[in-house]
Every structure is written in C-alpha cells, then in structure tokens.
Amino acid sequence: MKIHSIGSRLFLAFALALAVVFCGGVFTFMELRKTEQIAQLVTTSIVPKRQIWNDIKALSNQHFVLSKQQLQTNDFRELARIKTAIKETELSLFVEQVSLSSLGLTNRESDDYDAFQNHMQTYLMEAATALNKLNSGQYKIAYSRFDKTAKTSLKRALAKIESSIETINREHAQANLAHRDSINQSKRMMVISFILLLLTLIALLRWITIRISNPLLNLSSTLRRLTEGNYLTRIPDFPDRKDEIGVITNATKAYQEVAQRRLELSKVVEREAKRLDAVLSNMPVGLCIFDQNFRIILKNQSFNELYELDQADDQANQKYCELIGAKIRKNLDGASEEMSCHDLITKVRSNQSFAHTWRLDNGRAISVTIQKTSEGWVSIHKDITERLNAEAKVLHMAHHDSLTGLFNRNLFADTLENVIRRAKDGEAASVMVLDLDRFKSINDTLGHKAGDELLQQVAIRLQKVCSPGDLVFRLGGDEFAIIHHSNGIHASSRTLAEAILAILEENFILEGQTVSAAASIGIAIAPDHCETTDGIYKAADIALYHAKNMGRKCFAMFTTKLEEDIRAKESLEKYMLEAFNKSEFQMQYQPIIDTDSGEVRSFEALMRWNPMDDTAVSPALFIPLAEENGFINTLGEWALEEALKTAANWPDDIRVAVNLSPIQLNDETLYDTVSNLLNKYQVEPQRLELEITETVLLDDNAANIKLLKRLHDLGVRIALDDFGTGYSSLSYLRMFPFDKIKVDRSFIKAMGNDDNSLAIVRAIVGLSRELGIDCTAEGVEDKKRLKAIESEGFSEVQGFVFSKAMHADALMDFLEMTEYRGRIAS
C-alpha cells in the first residue's frame, strides 16, 4: 500500500533512524561477545596446554638424567634415592598427561599426543630393559641399549612435544590476532553506527527541505504570479506526488491551462502557415497547384528554379501555360517531338492523372506528373537530366567499344538480325569481317600501348573510307566488321574492300615509329549467301579464312565451294586425330648423298600418312591443318622420337634430318624434348639435323633465334630449308650460324632453262662456300640435273635420282648396296 501523507512519511523517516541506531548496537555487542570468547579460550585452554607440555618436556629430560645416573652409580644409597626420584618423576608425568587429556585436544594435538605416548612408552621400556641388563652384569649391553634405543625413543617423544608446543604457539598467535581484530571491529561498528545515525538525520532534514519546504515555497510563489495575471509562468512539476503537494500542484496547473489555451489557439494558424512554407521551399521537386481554369494557386521555389522564373514572372490570376509554355522546346515522350503545353492541358482534362517528359530551352529534361484534385490539379516537376544522361551513357557503353568508339559485338549481333530481316524484304547488304595482319607481332614488339593506338587509328581509317550508311564494328582483339548497304552490292562491296586494303597499307606512326600493317577481309552477301544471322557471319568468317590462306593483304568473297572446303577440312581434322591413334602415320627416310665421295651423309625423315584404305594423304594437306589446330606439336614430337630411335641403329657417321614447324618453336618444352630424346636413344647431338624455313625466323624473330642458338650450343645442326624463296635470307645467314643451306627445288628444276635461276644457284653455292656452310641441292630427279649439280659445286645432293623415301626397315639394305657409289663420277 502506498503512503501519500506527508505526516506518515515523517514517521517512517524517524523510525528508520532508530532502526539504524539499534542495528549498530546489536553488531557492536556481538563483536564484544566474540572478543570475550577468544580471551576465555586463551586463558582456559591454550596457556594451560602450553604449560603442561613444557612440564612434560622437563619431566622427560629429568627422567632421562636420573636413568642415566642409575646406570652409572654403584652407591646403594644413591641408587635408592635415584629410584625414588624416578618413580616420582614417572608419577608426575602421568599426572601431567591426565591433566592434558582433560583440557580437550584438537585432532592434530591428539595425533601428536598419541605419538608422544608411544615414543615415551618405548623409552621407558628400553630404560627398564637396560637396568635389568645392568643388574644381571651385562654392562656393555645395558649402556649400549640405553644410549641407542632408549635415547632415540626419548628424542622422538621430545620432538612430538616440540611439535605440539609449536602448534599451540601458532594457535595462541592466531587467537591474539583474532582478539585484536574483534576489538577493532567493535570500535569500527560503533563509529559506523554513529556515522549512519548522523547521515540519516542529515538525509531526513534534506528530504524535508526538498520534498516539503521547497515545493511549498515554489507553489506559493507561482500562485502569487498567477494571481498577478502572468498566465505563462512555469508551474513546478511534481508528477509523482500524490500527497498534499500534488493536490496543490494539479489545481494550479488546471487554472493555468485554462488561461494558456487562449494564447495557444492564436498561434496555431501562424505556425502552420510557416510550416507549409518551409515544406514547399525545401521540396527537391517543383510543385505547382492550379484551379479548374488552370490559374496558378501556388508554386514553390524549386518550380521557379526549374523554369528560371523570377518575381517579374509572378502575376495575379496567371495561367499555367502562359507561365511555362514558352520555356518548352520539345517533347521527349512519344513518336512526335511536337507537343505544346496546351496539348498537355487537353490531355489532362480527359484524365484523372497524367505523366509526361519534355525538354526545355536550357537543355534540361523535366518529368511532369499531374494529378486531379477536388479544387483543380497538382503538378510535380522533376529534373531528370542527369538520369537521362546516365542512361544514355550506359546505353552507349553497352553498344560501343571503349577503346575505339566503334560499335561493339553486342550491337553487331542485333544489327545482323535487322540486316537479315531487311534482306528478306529485298534490301541486300554485305557483311565484311576484317583481321589485321601481324597485329600480334606489333603488339609484342612495341607494347600494348602501341597496339591500342594501332587499333584506334585503324578505326579512324575504316570510318573515313566507309559511306555514311555503313556501320563499322570492333568485334574484339584485331577483328573488325562492316555492314555495307548499296545498290549493286557485289561490285560496291569489292570496291569498298579494295579501298580498305589500300588505306590500311599506308604506314602508321606508333610510339614515334613508322609501322606497316595490312588486313585480310572476308565478305558475305545477305540474302545471297545466307538468310540467318549466324550463317551470314560464319560465311564472312569462312571468306576471311580463305583470304588469309591466299597470302593475306587481300579480300575474298564467300562461295559455296569455300564452305565445302571448310567442311572437308573439319572432316580431315577429325580423321587425322583418329588416324594418329590408329598408328596410320609413318616415318620414311630419303638419303642425302655427298657429291665428292658418293656416300650417304644423312637421311631426311619425312612424315607420311597412309590410311588403312591405302589412299595416302599428302603432307601438303595435313601438315598445315595440324599447324592450325595445334596438333603439330604432338606430331612433331612423335616424328622426332621415331627418327632418333631409327638413327640409333645406323652407323655413327650418318646423320638424321628432321623438319621443324614454326609452331613447334613456340613450344617452350622443345629444347627439353630434343635433349631428353637424344639421351634416351644415345644419339650424339651432332648426328641430329633440324631443318627450318624462313617463316620460323619471320615469326617472332628474337625468341626463335634464341631457341635455335640453345639447340645449336647443345650440338644439334641447324639447316635452312627452301632457301631463296623467302624475304630476307641473307640477313638470317648473317644473324645465325647455320650448318647447312638447302636450295629450293624450284631453282634446281629451272637451272637448265632459266639463266636467272642458274645465276641465283651459283650465288648461293658461292656464298655457302665462303661462309663454310654445307649446300644441298633438293629435287634432283635425273642424271642430267645431277651432272649440272656436280659442275656447280654443291656439297650434297638429294632426290629421286638416288632413291625415293624409304621405310626404316629398308635403310640398312640400302646402306649395304655398293651400286650407288661412284654414280656421280660416272
């Protein structure tokens, strides 16, 4: 039950003070009682125990001395006195032990007392035994037993006495400490009780002041001000008071509220007006309210800022369209850009709500939402310029290449669909796919920055050469595409392709260096070549592939034959992989003869594909295909291993020549493969001759030269095959120390009919002689050419005049033949 009366609370406060005093007295009494109990324990137990133990100790020592005297004296009267003293001592010991037991012992004291009795009893028995031995005349035994056994037992008994005395001393010290603590605690309790009493009285006085005196003074002062007419004066708030103070306070508040309500009602209208003005002024969008006749009732500052209005534009009864109509430049919604403010009003009249977007003269895009109300309409105007710009930027990024600014692959796919759809309606178009030649080499040599700059310049040139209606795309990497529209589409596509090739053959300036680059172009016409998006792109890609195979720097138009060739190639590729797994590939060997001695210097290992149906596949077909799909590395490694395994059975002075594809030199494991196979089949490195073409050096010159030098340092011979048909043979002879030059068969074949070819052959032979390089004539097929070769000074000859390529099992028979020797001389 809650107590609300002030008098009742005062009574409780005084009762609390008395309770504090009483509790302090009780605790003090309890501590004094505890002090008395500790003192009684010390006087009645601890001190007597310690005295008795000291007495027992003294009596034990006395008994020992008397017993020792009894053993040492021979005087009968002295012995009688000593025996009497011993009995008295033993009686005193017994009395002291009884007194000690009567005092009450702790568990540890009982254990020490029991141990003492045991040792003391042993001592008395040993002493009595020693006396008996003495009386029987066994003096040495008596003395020895007393000094050793009896004395040891006594020492143990005395040790237990010392242990008990030490324990009692500790108990005495602890009792003294507890006694002092109890006295100090009693003093503290008395002080605390006094302090609590004092604090209780102070708190009581403060409570009376705060809870009674001060509220009464405040209320009396407030009532005085209210009676004087100050109705806005602050009334003290005592929300938790249910007593007399609370009753007076509530009555005072009720009186004040009646007076204040009149003042507050007068301020409501002013406050709400200011609030509405603040809301309108700080709205992030423009607000304009107009009536049924479209006369403006209200507009905010954001509306004025959007339409760049000032105070001169504000007129009484001004209509909505008269104010902003002249600011509107064009419509951004719908198919037509023409839509005036009056057109908008016409639409608004027939709808409860309406939304629209328009562009102002200042370029800003404004989204307008109009909602009908009972009094007219409310229009919201929002500036969405930045949002539209961002959307346009995102759309541009989605459809344009970030590097060149051209349309990208995504838009190319969408555009192809439109091209095919329009082509079906009779509007033909051509799709051109373009790849840059040597882009990788430029990118690797000059760096990616130069490569990016090249792509940008190519994009500019393509846009320059194309017609306004043409669309140029970058599909990725160095691949571009063009969608071309024109009458006479076939002829105009060729003309455009020729223009593109011409403008791209002009030099480029990249990173301060002059660089030449060209392109290959594939062309497909829709709908002539295909009527699907994937199909037309694939047709253009097939034509591009054909252009590259034609030697690059050219264009090709799609034909059905090209598609058939591609399918045949894909079929051959699949068949080639199966054939390799079926071991249909074989190595054959053609001898290379020394022109001086007529002996076999080496065999060239030639790869052959002989399917099970005995229809041989030409290396001219499957080698380029293997290079294209990367299978050449597998074939090349297999060929190298087969050749070395076979050569391991030949005489040590006969070498084996193996052709290397340019693709194989891009394999980082080539050096390790060659080294490991030489070790595996125990073939000396100088017996292996690797034949390369100038294409190897043309592609990634520095890296390939480095790998060839490593192989050459290993001891492997390096031969330059098809010499004279490339671009820069002489510079390569200076750059790398080749061991052999093989003159292309085209020069050997034309020697008898073409003076220019004969002159080139003589120059090559002379150059090889001066450089100390072996020079081999390839393709010698009859004795007439053999005679001509002999006269020109070739060091080696290879051709059908000696032998076609043979299987490995026929080589030893060929080497054992003697008919071939001396053929040159004859």
Side-chain angles (χ1 to χ4, degrees):
M1 181 179 66
K2 295 184 178 180
I3 299 175
H4 302 305
S5 172
I6 294 176
S8 300
R9 293 181 178 179
L10 287 174
F11 175 78
L12 290 177
F14 281 110
L16 176 63
L18 291 176
V20 170
V21 174
F22 177 77
C23 291
V26 171
F27 283 117
T28 303
F29 174 78
M30 292 175 65
E31 287 299 324
L32 291 175
R33 179 64 179 166
K34 181 179 178 181
T35 302
E36 181 181 357
Q37 291 175 351
I38 293 172
Q40 184 178 4
L41 174 66
V42 172
T43 56
T44 60
S45 178
I46 295 177
V47 173
K49 285 181 183 178
R50 182 169 57 192
Q51 183 61 43
I52 291 174
W53 275 116
N54 286 328
D55 293 343
I56 291 175
K57 178 181 178 182
L59 291 172
S60 298
N61 287 328
Q62 181 180 349
H63 188 280
F64 177 77
V65 172
L66 292 173
S67 297
K68 190 171 185 179
Q69 290 177 355
Q70 185 179 7
L71 290 175
Q72 294 175 348
T73 185
N74 295 321
D75 188 351
F76 291 103
R77 284 180 296 178
E78 182 65 18
L79 284 174
R81 185 190 67 77
I82 291 172
K83 289 181 179 179
T84 301
I86 289 174
K87 289 181 179 180
E88 292 176 353
T89 301
E90 290 178 350
L91 180 60
S92 296
L93 280 171
F94 176 74
V95 172
E96 292 295 336
Q97 291 179 29
V98 173
S99 299
L100 183 62
S101 299
S102 66
L103 291 177
L105 303 177
T106 64
N107 291 335
R108 181 169 181 178
E109 289 174 343
S110 297
D111 293 340
D112 289 344
Y113 178 71
D114 292 340
F116 163 76
Q117 282 188 324
N118 291 333
H119 293 312
M120 195 65 189
Q121 188 66 34
T122 302
Y123 160 73
L124 293 175
M125 291 175 61
E126 291 297 329
T129 302
L131 290 175
N132 292 333
K133 295 293 182 181
L134 182 67
N135 292 332
S136 62
Q138 300 177 6
Y139 300 107
K140 290 183 179 181
I141 295 174
Y143 293 147
S144 175
R145 189 149 190 171
F146 183 82
D147 287 337
K148 292 182 180 180
T149 309
K151 188 176 181 180
T152 300
S153 298
L154 180 61
K155 286 182 179 180
R156 292 174 180 172
L158 292 176
K160 288 299 178 181
I161 293 174
E162 292 295 336
S163 174
S164 298
I165 292 173
E166 183 179 351
T167 301
I168 293 171
N169 287 337
R170 285 197 298 270
E171 291 177 355
H172 192 188
Q174 293 173 355
N176 289 336
L177 180 60
H179 185 264
R180 286 195 299 272
D181 290 343
S182 180
I183 292 175
N184 292 334
Q185 185 67 18
S186 299
K187 293 178 181 179
R188 285 194 292 271
M189 290 303 301
M190 293 176 66
V191 172
I192 291 172
S193 298
F194 177 76
I195 292 173
L196 288 176
L197 178 61
L198 183 60
L199 291 175
T200 303
L201 293 176
I202 293 173
L204 179 59
L205 290 175
R206 181 166 179 78
W207 181 83
I208 293 172
T209 301
I210 295 174
R211 300 288 291 180
I212 300 175
S213 299
N214 290 343
L216 289 175
L217 290 174
N218 289 335
L219 287 172
S220 63
S221 176
T222 301
L223 287 172
R224 185 178 65 252
R225 288 193 296 273
L226 289 173
T227 57
E228 292 174 353
N230 186 4
Y231 300 114
L232 297 179
T233 187
R234 179 181 175 277
I235 297 178
D237 189 16
F238 307 107
D240 59 335
R241 301 296 292 266
K242 305 297 182 182
D243 54 10
E244 294 83 351
I245 300 297
V247 173
I248 297 172
T249 301
N250 292 333
T252 305
K253 285 182 178 180
Y255 176 75
Q256 185 189 42
E257 287 176 359
V258 174
Q260 286 181 341
R261 188 173 292 113
R262 297 176 182 177
L263 296 175
E264 291 177 355
L265 289 175
S266 64
K267 297 178 181 179
V268 170
V269 175
E270 181 182 0
R271 185 170 61 250
E272 292 299 325
K274 290 182 179 180
R275 184 177 299 170
L276 177 60
D277 183 66
V279 171
L280 294 176
S281 299
N282 292 281
M283 286 180 66
V285 296
L287 173 69
C288 183
I289 302 175
F290 45 91
D291 60 15
Q292 299 284 356
N293 297 319
F294 296 95
R295 287 192 296 266
I296 295 176
I297 301 173
L298 176 68
K299 57 184 176 67
N300 66 354
Q301 182 61 30
S302 295
F303 181 84
N304 293 335
E305 292 174 355
L306 284 177
Y307 292 95
E308 298 179 347
L309 303 174
D310 52 29
Q311 293 181 353
D313 296 313
D314 291 338
Q315 300 177 11
N317 297 323
Q318 190 172 31
K319 290 194 174 183
Y320 180 71
C321 287
E322 293 175 355
L323 182 63
I324 67 171
K327 304 283 186 178
I328 301 172
R329 186 174 71 190
K330 68 176 181 178
N331 168 40
L332 295 182
D333 290 337
S336 174
E337 293 186 358
E338 300 296 330
M339 183 176 183
S340 65
C341 181
H342 294 286
D343 296 331
L344 176 64
I345 293 302
T346 302
K347 290 182 176 293
V348 169
R349 288 184 185 274
S350 60
N351 296 279
Q352 292 294 320
S353 62
F354 187 74
H356 193 69
T357 304
W358 52 42
R359 181 82 67 181
L360 303 182
D361 287 338
N362 60 12
R364 310 299 293 178
I366 306 299
S367 171
V368 182
T369 302
I370 300 177
Q371 180 68 44
K372 184 175 179 59
T373 66
S374 60
E375 301 296 331
W377 284 272
V378 176
S379 63
I380 303 296
H381 301 251
K382 185 177 182 181
D383 188 343
I384 60 172
T385 307
E386 293 184 0
R387 192 192 77 188
L388 293 182
N389 291 341
E391 290 175 353
K393 184 177 180 180
V394 171
L395 182 62
H396 183 274
M397 293 174 62
H399 290 161
H400 290 76
D401 176 54
S402 59
L403 177 64
T404 62
L406 298 177
F407 297 127
N408 61 11
R409 181 180 289 274
N410 294 332
L411 188 61
F412 177 69
D414 296 337
T415 306
L416 278 184
E417 293 181 1
N418 294 330
V419 168
I420 294 300
R421 185 164 52 252
R422 294 165 64 181
K424 291 179 180 179
D425 295 334
E427 186 178 345
S430 66
V431 177
M432 298 183 178
V433 180
L434 177 150
D435 261 3
L436 297 182
D437 298 333
R438 298 186 62 246
F439 175 74
K440 181 180 182 303
S441 176
I442 294 173
N443 206 30
D444 294 343
T445 304
L446 300 182
H448 293 290
K449 183 177 180 182
D452 291 345
E453 186 177 350
L454 174 61
L455 294 174
Q456 292 169 342
Q457 293 187 28
V458 168
I460 293 172
R461 294 188 185 186
L462 290 177
Q463 290 175 308
K464 180 179 179 181
V465 77
C466 289
S467 302
D470 296 337
L471 300 177
V472 184
F473 304 83
R474 181 187 175 213
L475 304 183
D478 63 333
E479 185 179 6
F480 295 84
I482 299 171
I483 295 179
H484 173 61
H485 297 275
S486 175
N487 295 326
I489 192 66
H490 288 266
S492 65
S493 298
R494 290 187 175 90
T495 301
L496 177 58
E498 291 171 352
I500 292 173
L501 293 176
I503 199 170
L504 293 184
E505 285 185 1
E506 297 176 7
N507 289 334
F508 293 85
I509 305 299
L510 305 176
E511 297 289 311
Q513 298 187 44
T514 301
V515 177
S516 61
S520 301
I521 305 174
I523 306 173
I525 307 297
D528 296 358
H529 296 151
C530 191
E531 293 185 356
T532 64
T533 55
D534 293 339
I536 196 67
Y537 175 70
K538 183 177 180 181
D541 200 46
I542 290 173
L544 173 63
Y545 177 79
H546 181 64
K548 290 181 178 180
N549 288 339
M550 290 169 61
R552 302 179 184 271
K553 294 185 181 181
C554 63
F555 70 89
M557 187 77 71
F558 174 80
T559 63
T560 55
K561 185 179 184 308
L562 293 181
E563 186 174 18
E564 292 171 357
D565 292 343
I566 290 294
R567 291 177 179 174
K569 186 187 74 170
E570 293 174 351
S571 176
L572 182 63
E573 180 179 0
K574 179 181 178 181
Y575 187 26
M576 179 177 63
L577 299 178
E578 295 175 354
F580 183 77
N581 293 329
K582 294 178 181 179
S583 301
E584 292 184 0
F585 285 89
Q586 300 173 354
M587 296 303 295
Q588 297 183 5
Y589 303 87
Q590 187 175 34
I592 300 175
I593 309 300
D594 185 287
T595 54
D596 292 333
S597 64
E599 296 180 352
V600 176
R601 276 197 179 182
S602 61
F603 286 96
E604 180 178 3
L606 301 172
M607 188 181 298
R608 296 292 183 260
W609 179 5
N610 295 312
M612 298 301 182
D613 59 3
D614 293 330
T615 303
V617 181
S618 171
L621 290 178
F622 71 80
I623 292 296
L625 180 60
E627 290 178 334
E628 181 179 337
N629 62 22
F631 192 59
I632 191 65
N633 289 322
T634 301
L635 286 179
E637 183 176 346
W638 172 82
L640 186 62
E641 182 168 10
E642 287 293 312
L644 290 176
K645 180 168 64 175
T646 303
N649 299 317
W650 301 345
D652 293 340
D653 59 341
I654 296 179
R655 298 186 297 269
V656 62
V658 181
N659 290 279
L660 281 185
S661 165
I663 306 300
Q664 288 180 263
L665 287 185
N666 295 328
D667 185 0
E668 297 179 353
T669 64
L670 177 62
Y671 177 86
D672 293 333
T673 299
V674 172
S675 177
N676 293 336
L677 290 176
L678 287 171
N679 292 330
K680 180 178 180 179
Y681 294 106
Q682 298 297 306
V683 176
E684 293 296 326
Q686 59 270 19
R687 292 185 59 202
L688 174 62
E689 195 170 83
L690 297 178
E691 295 186 5
I692 64 169
T693 63
E694 292 177 4
T695 307
V696 169
L697 304 177
L698 189 62
D699 296 339
D700 198 3
N701 186 307
N704 290 341
I705 288 292
K706 182 178 179 180
L707 177 56
L708 290 175
K709 285 184 177 179
R710 290 185 65 197
L711 292 169
H712 197 265
D713 292 341
L714 182 65
V716 176
R717 289 167 56 87
I718 307 297
L720 185 58
D721 199 6
D722 299 335
F723 187 76
T725 60
Y727 298 98
S728 43
S729 302
L730 297 180
S731 65
Y732 292 138
L733 290 178
R734 179 178 56 84
M735 184 184 304
F736 185 81
F738 288 99
D739 299 287
K740 178 190 288 188
I741 296 174
K742 299 185 74 174
V743 180
D744 187 69
R745 66 180 63 247
S746 61
F747 293 102
I748 302 302
K749 185 176 181 180
M751 278 178 56
N753 305 319
D754 184 3
D755 293 339
N756 291 332
S757 296
L758 180 60
I760 292 173
V761 168
R762 288 175 177 173
I764 294 174
V765 173
L767 180 63
S768 64
R769 186 182 302 110
E770 292 297 326
L771 294 176
I773 301 174
D774 290 339
C775 188
T776 302
E778 291 186 295
V780 180
E781 299 180 358
D782 52 44
K783 292 184 178 181
K784 180 180 179 182
R785 286 194 179 89
L786 181 60
K787 289 292 184 180
I789 291 301
E790 178 186 14
S791 63
E792 297 301 333
F794 281 91
S795 56
E796 294 180 345
V797 183
Q798 178 181 357
F800 289 169
V801 68
F802 294 106
S803 173
K804 295 182 179 181
M806 299 173 283
H807 291 288
D809 53 7
L811 295 180
M812 297 308 296
D813 293 338
F814 179 82
L815 290 175
E816 293 175 359
M817 292 172 58
T818 57
E819 288 82 356
Y820 72 91
R821 296 184 182 273
R823 283 187 179 180
I824 296 177
S826 62

